[in-house]
Amino acid sequence: QVQLVESGGGLVQAGGSLRLSCAASGTIFSINVMGWYRQAPGKQRELVATITGGSNTNYADSVKGRFIISRDNAKNTVYLQMNGLKPEDTAVYYCHVIEQKSTMAFSHYWGKGTLVTVSS
C-alpha cells in the first residue's frame, strides 16, 4: 500500500504563490505517473497537472504558464508550484499517484486533499 501526504495549502491573495508537496510512503514498487487534481465547491474533480517518471508534463489549459509540476524520484515526492493565483484556483487539491507493480498491473492512490483559497 502507498500512503500520500499533501502539504502546502492555505490562504493567499490573488497574484500570490503557493507550493504544494505530496510525499508517497509505504511499500512502493515503482511510481509511474504523479499528478495533481482539484475540486472546487459544486464542481467535478479536474486534472491540474501530471508528470511521468521521465519528467514529461501535462497541464490543464487553465493553469498553463502559471503552475509548474516537478518531482523528486529519490524522495517519491511531487510538487506543484502555483504562481499568479486567481480566485478561480480556489479548490481542494488532491495528489494522485499511479504505481506500476508489473507490466500490466497498476494501482491508483489519492491523497486526502489540501485546501487552497485565493482571495480577491
Side-chain angles (χ1 to χ4, degrees), residues 10-120:
L11 174 64
V12 64
Q13 289 188 332
S17 298
L18 282 175
R19 189 191 195 208
L20 306 182
S21 299
C22 173
S25 62
T27 303
I28 300 172
F29 284 83
S30 176
I31 293 180
N32 192 324
V33 180
M34 305 183 84
W36 292 93
Y37 289 71
R38 67 186 181 187
Q39 188 167 18
K43 295 188 177 181
Q44 290 188 333
R45 190 173 298 189
E46 63 177 3
L47 180 144
V48 176
T50 61
I51 184 168
T52 67
S55 295
N56 291 314
T57 59
N58 179 50
Y59 294 94
D61 287 343
S62 58
V63 306
K64 282 181 181 177
R66 299 188 298 124
F67 290 10
I68 301 172
I69 189 170
S70 61
R71 63 190 281 176
D72 184 331
N73 292 326
K75 296 181 179 179
N76 290 321
T77 300
V78 62
Y79 305 95
L80 186 68
Q81 177 66 43
M82 305 185 293
N83 302 318
L85 283 161
K86 305 175 181 179
E88 50 264 44
D89 294 318
T90 295
V92 177
Y93 284 70
Y94 296 92
C95 176
H96 176 250
V97 163
I98 301 175
E99 179 193 32
Q100 184 171 4
K101 296 184 177 180
S102 68
T103 302
M104 297 298 293
F106 299 86
S107 296
H108 292 249
Y109 298 95
W110 291 91
K112 293 182 179 180
T114 184
L115 178 62
V116 172
T117 304
V118 184
S119 63
S120 58

